[in-house]
Amino acid sequence: YIRNTVFNRYIKDNKEWENDCRYEILSYTIEHPDKDTLFEGPFQFSMIQDEVTLEALYKRYMSIPEVTATIYRFEKYNCINYWKILMSHGYDMHVLVENDFSKMDFYKNQRMIFELTSLAYIFGDNELAHKLAEKQLEIIINMPNVPNDLLIRSYNDAAQALTYFLNPSISSNVDDFHKAINYYFKAIEIAGNTSSKEIAVTYNGLGQCCLFGNKNDLALACGEKALDLNRKFYGDIHHEIAVNLNVIAQAHTKEGNYTKAIEAFTKAINVLISIYGNCSTELIIMYYNLADCQFCMNDFPSALQSISKGIEIIEKTFGKKYYDIDSYIQLTNDILSHIEAQKLSE
């Protein structure tokens, strides 16, 4: 209570004094580089937020792929926030793909590219995701004696980057779609008759591709194959289980099996909540898919409740700058229109 009172009376409006303190902390982080100061430095730069400190935040931390990936790994929300601030001032995230990754340790390189690609997905930057995944695949293909699982993973990552933002109604996506299919089949060819966590990812990704191509029976079969494999590896509570259930649910939705779809979507959402909590960005697309399914079966109140949960997470995490916010607003408006029409008919 005393601390808050002193802050509100003497410090709250004294921005110059506050920044002086932050600069002293920054000096300490520069003179004592270690894991803790790696996370403290970017935070202080982002809090000062003048042009000089934002440039320093960009050059010293966020433009370095290894640093951005590390911050994303341990402080996901802060990493997203730093890039939101930087991009609003004209800084470009594509700097992350300009380095020569082939000189890095193979395993660190692979983990780093995976994290940077995940960050690109969050901001809806499919071009950057493509570049990172293709770069990773190129490095691995040219390396001798690469274990099959790692080679399969690289084909999976490249295929996923190609399909993550696919819109089946856009003809320019066709080449990406077929390229992704070929990558998944290449992974299956490499695996042969062996079962692994990576081949489970392959089947799930192939199932997602089949949904784009309206091959719903094959999508369902691939999703169920991936789910069976992953349950052997992880049990019932794991991120991959939720991802598999999402593909299965989408296939049921496309086939008009709404009850089965709702059941699968609900299971997927419960798995994610049990792992990440109620505000995870992983839930955004799940709530959208669930709402779309409920809309198709004319359960408009439930659909409104589901899409509202997704939008609430978007607003808390991204503000109004989510890459696909228009789709969520459009579905909300469609739901509200049908609810209003129902009221009028009554």
Side-chain angles (χ1 to χ4, degrees):
Y1 174 83
I2 293 172
R3 182 188 63 189
N4 289 338
T5 302
V6 172
F7 177 84
N8 289 330
R9 171 172 279 189
Y10 298 108
I11 300 173
K12 187 176 180 180
D13 298 320
N14 192 345
K15 190 66 178 177
E16 184 178 350
W17 180 88
E18 180 185 332
N19 283 350
D20 285 343
C21 291
R22 296 192 184 283
Y23 278 118
E24 287 191 37
I25 298 170
L26 279 170
S27 296
Y28 181 87
T29 66
I30 293 168
E31 292 168 5
H32 301 80
D34 61 23
K35 181 180 177 181
D36 292 330
T37 57
L38 171 64
F39 301 121
E40 185 66 26
F43 175 75
Q44 297 301 338
F45 278 127
S46 69
M47 292 300 292
I48 296 171
Q49 246 184 73
D50 57 34
E51 289 302 325
V52 173
T53 54
L54 289 181
E55 184 177 3
L57 172 63
Y58 178 75
K59 288 184 175 180
R60 185 176 179 84
Y61 295 103
M62 306 312 292
S63 65
I64 303 171
E66 304 96 306
V67 177
T68 281
T70 302
I71 295 173
Y72 179 83
R73 188 183 317 146
F74 293 103
E75 297 187 356
K76 185 174 182 179
Y77 178 83
N78 280 342
C79 187
I80 294 168
N81 190 50
Y82 299 151
W83 271 112
K84 281 170 60 179
I85 294 168
L86 289 171
M87 287 192 288
S88 71
H89 285 76
Y91 293 94
D92 191 350
M93 191 185 285
H94 282 245
V95 69
L96 297 173
V97 81
E98 293 173 2
N99 294 47
D100 183 4
F101 296 157
S102 62
K103 296 179 181 179
M104 297 175 58
D105 174 80
F106 173 74
Y107 293 98
K108 288 182 179 178
N109 174 23
Q110 190 172 49
R111 182 174 186 177
M112 180 190 73
I113 292 181
F114 173 77
E115 285 155 350
L116 296 179
T117 304
S118 299
L119 182 63
Y121 289 153
I122 287 173
F123 282 99
D125 194 333
N126 55 325
E127 183 183 355
L128 178 58
H130 285 191
K131 287 180 179 178
L132 287 163
E134 293 281 3
K135 196 161 192 173
Q136 180 185 29
L137 183 58
E138 179 185 352
I139 292 168
I140 290 177
I141 288 175
N142 292 321
M143 289 182 65
N145 304 318
V146 177
N148 279 352
D149 263 12
L150 296 181
L151 190 55
I152 291 169
R153 182 185 304 172
S154 295
Y155 276 109
N156 287 344
D157 289 346
Q160 185 184 39
L162 287 164
T163 58
Y164 199 86
F165 299 97
L166 277 184
N167 183 336
S169 65
I170 300 175
S171 59
S172 61
N173 288 159
V174 172
D175 288 343
D176 284 348
F177 171 76
H178 289 298
K179 194 173 183 180
I181 289 284
N182 288 334
Y183 281 161
Y184 283 128
F185 278 118
K186 182 66 176 177
I188 291 171
E189 178 188 333
I190 293 168
N193 294 323
T194 61
S195 296
S196 69
K197 294 177 181 179
E198 292 306 328
I199 203 63
V201 174
T202 303
Y203 278 110
N204 193 79
L206 182 58
Q208 190 71 61
C209 268
C210 291
L211 289 173
F212 290 127
N214 291 317
K215 300 180 184 298
N216 302 321
D217 289 343
L218 184 55
L220 182 60
C222 288
E224 289 177 341
K225 172 80 171 177
L227 182 63
D228 288 342
L229 287 170
N230 279 326
R231 277 182 170 152
K232 294 176 184 176
F233 300 130
Y234 303 115
D236 290 325
I237 306 298
H238 192 275
H239 177 266
E240 290 298 322
I241 299 296
V243 170
N244 301 154
L245 288 167
N246 183 48
V247 169
I248 291 168
Q250 287 184 78
H252 282 311
T253 300
K254 280 176 164 278
E255 289 293 288
N257 300 322
Y258 300 127
T259 302
K260 289 183 178 179
I262 294 289
E263 181 182 351
F265 280 133
T266 303
K267 285 181 179 177
I269 288 169
N270 288 338
V271 168
L272 291 175
I273 290 173
S274 68
I275 299 170
Y276 302 115
N278 291 311
C279 295
S280 169
T281 55
E282 304 284 344
L283 291 165
I284 295 173
I285 188 63
M286 295 288 188
Y287 279 128
Y288 180 92
N289 290 340
L290 175 59
D292 186 51
C293 180
Q294 291 164 331
F295 180 80
C296 289
M297 61 190 301
N298 297 327
D299 185 359
F300 304 120
S302 296
L304 182 61
Q305 185 179 31
S306 298
I307 196 67
S308 297
K309 288 179 179 178
I311 291 175
E312 183 181 355
I313 297 171
I314 289 173
E315 290 176 343
K316 284 182 178 178
T317 310
F318 302 100
K320 296 181 179 180
K321 294 185 177 180
Y322 187 63
Y323 77 96
D324 199 25
I325 188 63
D326 291 343
S327 297
Y328 289 76
I329 293 171
Q330 182 61 55
L331 180 54
T332 303
N333 291 338
D334 290 343
I335 294 167
L336 289 171
S337 295
H338 280 76
I339 290 174
E340 187 63 29
Q342 281 185 338
K343 289 180 179 178
L344 289 174
S345 66
E346 292 171 359

